[in-house]
């Protein structure tokens, strides 16, 4: 596979060759492209079109729920970068999400008698919601990068407890426990992304508009993360995860690489944190607890460690599962009678983490890969 | 028209300029101890530009430890290591790599979950001159640099004849291919000095011959200086310009293959003074091997 033919083949002939043999590349650039086969292009297109159509088919609450999926997915991608790709287990993700939420409220929230808020444009508060947690992440990372495994888990766990305490005490920003605060105002140059609007003659509900906004952001941040993963730094992440001493001998600086992983991860967490209160209306500081961190870990475990699409699948799973249990509960035995719906949700959540950890460490994405390979090799699959 | 390039065109950074007669690497009185055990006990040697310098000796003699001192994984207690005139003491492993020293490990240290391509691209890590943010955008400069380096990696793949494994995760490849990939990864670093730790250990005759051919071709095409640790005496005698013999962390002989072969000290060490001594040596070797593996892969 060398480049020797590229200049003699016209683009048209080139495409024809590709159609016949989808994995024959005549240029490295084509091979390196994100969507490097026709079927990947087709299915991505179909999926995007379907996602854009959904808010017109579903009710308000389901549109809101899917928006939540997008937000969780952004946060999940962040955790997957540091934990899945770079192998640094973090229990502190909830802290960075919370930090993003309160940064957004400080810069973009409305002030009141008891609350501080600068009411700045989303063009300012949303990037800030990512940057502030990123800076804090970069500050903490050199410490975290010196320990590994269990010690790292405990160190990052400490972060959640410190954060929870801070968030509870900083009442003028967070609203305090049990009271909470509304999300920042998602307004860009006068256009509010959480207000009913008429666009090109279409009357759109605020849930629909915010759905499109979060989806667009997820696509952009997903592609950025995917590019990071397949470029210089992403390979360094994987090297540090798999064999840190060999990575160093290859020229990968350990500390720097881990610090960057924590920084980028915290940025993603912070963006998710800025959007979350807008989608759910208002949020209490208690929300950013250990369980929330575990939810993000579940997202990457169930969706697929070290895959971007896995993070999205996992987010859909974690956000939609409780609703699924709720809807199906009346038709299922035991639930509602012996155990409450809420307990059933928790039990299922825990059981899924265990099942995936033991049986399919690569998550749903890994299951999909295996299924695809099975059919590719059929009838000689075993 | 871009054809397959010879290595010398793909890897242009391997040439060194040192004053005539000067060594590229100079190790003096190197001593490394772990608690009570002396891994390396005052060893001196140098490597000339373009030279294939071989280190031999029984298991546990301290060969791998010398490599670990050079690459900055271990910090020796005494002695000096100068590479191209600058000291390597206290220099972190990634910075040693940056100065132009690449390495193949005794126990394969590849990134098993990554493809052959990605493993080789990791060898190019310090040559990829773009930042993380540019990588996220993957347009313009980052994309261009990735493609340029992909070409270099492909040249190395062609050279090592591992084209068909390009997209395979390394973990599932057979042992002999893994060794080649590891050599490839070290080559991709475009080093000025290559450290080979038992490159043919555990290989059959055919694989050994392939590896010997690659080492010879690398010498011929790149004129790269190499240090090779190896137990296969035939290979060492055939390839090496000079040989150093270690025993229990001490240098017992150094010189060209012929003089080393006939050195009474070497003969004594290799044949041993009765069965007892030999058995002891092997026992120690097995123990230290386990230790070293644990340390490097933990
Ligand atoms: N990480 C380590 N901890 C303790 N002792 C070590 C370590 N690495 C090497 N050694 C000791 O150094 C000596 C030389 O080991 P090594 O350099 O691996 O030998 P060789 O490569 O010649 O077989 C052995 O006696 C071993 O016990
Ligand atoms: Mg050894």
């Amino acid at each position: 596979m060398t480049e020797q033919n590229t200049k003699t083949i016209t683009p048209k002939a080139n495409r024809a060759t590709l159609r016949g043999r989808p994995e024959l590349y005549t240029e490295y650039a084509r091979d390196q492209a994100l969507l490097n086969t026709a079927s990947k292009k087709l299915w991505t297109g179909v999926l995007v079109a379907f996602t854009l159509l959904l808010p017109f088919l579903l009710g308000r609450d389901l549109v809101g729920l899917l928006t939540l999926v997008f937000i969780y997915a952004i946060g999940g991608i962040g955790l997957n970068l540091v934990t899945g790709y770079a192998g640094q287990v973090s229990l502190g993700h909830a802290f960075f999400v919370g930090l993003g939420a309160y940064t957004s409220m400080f810069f973009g929230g409305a002030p009141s008698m008891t609350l501080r808020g600068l009411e700045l444009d989303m063009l300012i508060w949303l990037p800030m919601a990512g940057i502030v947690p990123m800076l804090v992440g970069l500050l903490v990372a050199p410490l975290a990068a010196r320990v590994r495994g269990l010690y790292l888990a405990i160190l990052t766990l400490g972060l959640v407890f410190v954060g929870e305490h801070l968030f509870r005490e900083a009442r003028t920003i967070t609203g305090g426990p049990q009271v909470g605060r509304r999300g920042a105002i998602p307004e860009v140059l006068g256009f509010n992304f959480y207000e009913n609007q008429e666009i090109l003659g279409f009357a759109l509900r605020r849930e629909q508009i915010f759905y499109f906004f979060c989806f667009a952001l997820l696509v952009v941040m997903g592609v950025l993360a995917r590019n990071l993963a397949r470029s210089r730094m992403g390979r360094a992440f994987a090297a540090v995860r798999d064999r840190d001493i060999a990575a160093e001998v290859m020229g990968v600086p350990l500390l720097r690489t881990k610090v960057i992983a924590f920084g980028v991860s915290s940025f993603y967490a912070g963006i998710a944190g800025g959007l979350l209160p807008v989608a759910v209306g208002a949020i209490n500081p208690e929300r950013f607890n250990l369980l929330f961190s575990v939810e993000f870990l579940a997202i990457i475990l169930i969706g697929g460690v070290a895959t971007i699409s896995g993070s999205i699948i996992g987010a859909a799973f974690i956000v939609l599962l409780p609703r699924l249990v709720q809807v199906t509960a009346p038709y299922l035995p035991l639930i509602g009678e012996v155990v409450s719906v809420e307990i059933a949700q928790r039990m299922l959540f825990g059981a899924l983490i265990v099942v995936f950890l033991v049986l399919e460490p690569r998550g749903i994405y890994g299951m999909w890969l295996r299924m695809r390979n099975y059919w590719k090799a059929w009838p000689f699959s075993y | 028209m871009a054809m397959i390039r010879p290595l010398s065109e793909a890897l242009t950074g391997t040439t060194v300029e040192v004053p005539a007669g000067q060594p590229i690497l100079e190790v003096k009185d190197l001593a490394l101890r772990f608690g009570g055990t002396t891994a390396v006990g005052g060893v001196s040697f140098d490597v000339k530009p373009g030279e294939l310098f071989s280190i031999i000796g029984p298991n546990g003699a301290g060969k791998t430890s010398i490599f670990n001192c050079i690459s900055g994984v271990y910090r020796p207690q005494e002695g000096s290591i100068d590479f191209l005139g600058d000291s390597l003491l206290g220099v972190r492993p990634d910075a040693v790599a940056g100065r132009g020293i690449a390495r193949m490990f005794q126990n394969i240290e590849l990134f098993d979950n990554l493809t052959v391509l990605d493993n080789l691209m990791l060898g190019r890590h310090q040559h990829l001159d773009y930042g993380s943010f540019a990588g996220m955008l993957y347009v313009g400069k980052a994309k261009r640099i990735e493609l340029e380096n992909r070409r270099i990696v492909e040249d190395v793949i062609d050279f090592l004849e591992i084209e068909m494994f390009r997209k395979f995760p390394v973990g599932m490849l057979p042992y002999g291919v893994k060794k080649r990939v590891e050599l490839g990864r070290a080559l991709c670093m475009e080093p000025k000095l290559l450290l080979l730790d038992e490159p043919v250990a555990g290989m059959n005759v055919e694989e050994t011959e392939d590896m010997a051919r690659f080492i010879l071709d690398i010498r011929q095409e790149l004129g790269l200086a190499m240090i090779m640790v190896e137990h296969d005496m035939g290979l060492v005698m055939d390839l090496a310009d000079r040989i150093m013999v270690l025993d229990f962390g001490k240098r017992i002989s150094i010189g060209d293959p012929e003089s080393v072969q006939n050195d009474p000290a070497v003969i004594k060490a290799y044949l041993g003074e009765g069965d007892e001594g030999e058995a002891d040596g092997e026992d120690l070797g097995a123990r230290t091997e386990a230790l070293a593996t644990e340390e490097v892969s933990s």
Side-chain angles (χ1 to χ4, degrees), chain B residues 28-283:
Chain B
K28 270 198 203 131
D29 304 319
L30 189 74
L32 175 74
R33 286 179 290 272
F34 294 102
T37 53
T38 299
V40 184
V43 170
S44 302
F45 64 95
D46 59 16
V47 180
K48 307 274 187 314
E51 186 179 31
L52 204 163
F53 186 85
S54 190
I55 305 179
I56 62 172
N59 278 333
K63 307 178 297 290
T64 300
S65 297
I66 291 180
F67 277 8
N68 279 332
C69 290
I70 297 174
S71 18
V73 177
Y74 294 160
R75 178 106 199 235
Q77 279 87 0
E78 286 163 39
S80 65
I81 306 173
D82 291 319
F83 179 65
L84 295 173
D86 296 314
S87 173
L88 288 184
L89 291 184
V91 179
R92 294 209 52 87
D94 53 281
V96 172
R99 299 223 188 150
I101 298 182
R103 174 169 176 190
M104 220 178 134
F105 294 88
Q106 180 176 351
N107 309 100
I108 297 170
E109 295 275 343
L110 289 167
F111 307 109
D112 284 349
N113 295 316
L114 303 185
T115 61
V116 170
L117 264 178
D118 281 339
N119 268 276
L120 298 190
M121 282 300 277
L122 263 160
R124 306 257 351 128
H125 186 78
Q126 295 214 344
H127 297 271
L128 303 179
D129 188 19
Y130 66 87
S132 311
F133 193 66
M136 289 179 110
L137 298 176
Y138 211 86
V139 289
K141 188 179 167 198
K143 192 171 178 181
R144 196 194 71 232
I145 293 177
E146 279 286 319
L147 286 176
E148 280 167 10
N149 283 277
R150 168 81 189 266
R151 264 206 77 193
I152 295 174
V153 163
E154 290 287 346
D155 292 326
V156 172
I157 286 178
D158 283 334
F159 170 73
L160 293 172
E161 298 158 18
I162 45 177
E163 295 90 342
M164 60 279 223
F165 304 113
R166 198 186 266 119
K167 300 257 174 107
F168 281 43
V170 161
M172 59 191 284
L173 297 178
Y175 180 82
V177 178
K178 281 188 186 172
K179 279 277 193 189
R180 271 195 218 184
V181 175
E182 220 189 29
L183 176 63
R185 188 179 62 175
L187 269 183
C188 283
M189 291 170 71
E190 212 166 328
K192 300 179 191 315
L193 173 67
L194 186 55
L195 311 181
L196 306 170
D197 200 346
E198 307 199 10
V200 302
M203 285 187 167
N204 61 30
V205 178
E206 202 177 318
E207 289 169 329
T208 302
E209 277 173 3
D210 281 341
M211 189 57 84
R213 182 164 54 86
F214 292 133
I215 293 172
L216 283 173
D217 285 350
I218 291 168
R219 281 200 78 183
Q220 198 187 0
E221 291 198 31
L222 300 177
L224 204 54
M226 295 184 226
I227 308 180
M228 178 172 78
V229 166
E230 190 42 72
H231 284 300
D232 186 322
M233 277 312 132
L235 188 76
V236 172
M237 294 300 161
D238 282 350
L239 297 189
D241 296 314
R242 278 192 306 150
I243 299 173
M244 171 169 78
V245 188
L246 286 186
D247 197 17
F248 291 107
K250 296 266 189 223
R251 184 182 99 186
I252 57 171
S253 181
I254 188 168
D256 56 57
E258 202 159 333
S259 68
V260 164
Q261 232 168 347
N262 299 323
D263 189 332
V266 177
I267 296 168
K268 195 170 125 197
Y270 264 77
L271 297 179
E273 295 157 306
D275 291 339
E276 210 185 325
E278 204 169 347
D280 239 350
E282 265 183 27
D283 202 36

Side-chain angles (χ1 to χ4, degrees), chain A residues 306-360:
Chain A
T307 66
I308 301 299
S309 10
S311 319
I312 301 171
I313 300 170
F317 214 82
I318 289 300
V319 174
L320 299 180
L321 187 72
R323 174 62 67 96
L324 199 71
V325 174
Q326 202 180 12
V327 174
T328 52
Y331 312 103
L332 296 175
L334 300 180
I335 298 178
E337 295 154 30
V338 181
V339 291
S340 70
V341 172
E342 197 178 321
I343 300 228
Q345 288 166 345
R346 292 248 174 123
M347 280 166 58
L348 198 60
F349 177 70
L352 276 171
I353 294 182
V354 173
V355 166
F356 273 99
L357 261 181
V358 176
L359 297 182
E360 184 55 78

Side-chain angles (χ1 to χ4, degrees), chain A residues 1-5 7-8 25 28-32 36 81 148 221 223-225 227-228 230-233 235-236 238-254 256-257 260 264 268, chain B residues 1-4 71 73 92-94 97 101 103 105 108-114 117-118 121-123 125-126 128-130 132 135-138 143 146-147 150-151 154 158 166-167 185 189 295-298:
Chain A
M1 228 191 302
T2 60
E3 279 190 297
Q4 49 191 329
N5 293 328
K7 279 168 197 137
T8 51
Y25 303 102
Y28 298 136
R30 232 177 252 273
D31 185 22
Q32 311 255 97
N36 55 5
L81 285 173
R148 53 172 103 179
M221 294 188 75
V223 170
L224 291 179
N227 282 340
L228 183 73
R230 71 191 174 122
S231 64
R232 178 175 187 268
M233 194 46 66
R235 283 189 296 261
V240 166
R241 173 195 64 202
D242 288 352
R243 285 177 192 273
D244 51 358
I245 292 181
E248 259 189 306
V249 173
M250 292 304 117
V252 176
L254 277 193
R256 199 184 139 79
T257 305
I260 288 176
V264 181
Y268 276 72
Chain B
M1 185 67 53
M3 292 290 291
I4 299 169
S71 18
V73 177
R92 294 209 52 87
D94 53 281
I101 298 182
R103 174 169 176 190
F105 294 88
I108 297 170
E109 295 275 343
L110 289 167
F111 307 109
D112 284 349
N113 295 316
L114 303 185
L117 264 178
D118 281 339
M121 282 300 277
L122 263 160
H125 186 78
Q126 295 214 344
L128 303 179
D129 188 19
Y130 66 87
S132 311
M136 289 179 110
L137 298 176
Y138 211 86
K143 192 171 178 181
E146 279 286 319
L147 286 176
R150 168 81 189 266
R151 264 206 77 193
E154 290 287 346
D158 283 334
R166 198 186 266 119
K167 300 257 174 107
R185 188 179 62 175
M189 291 170 71
E295 171 67 28
V296 172
S297 58
S298 63

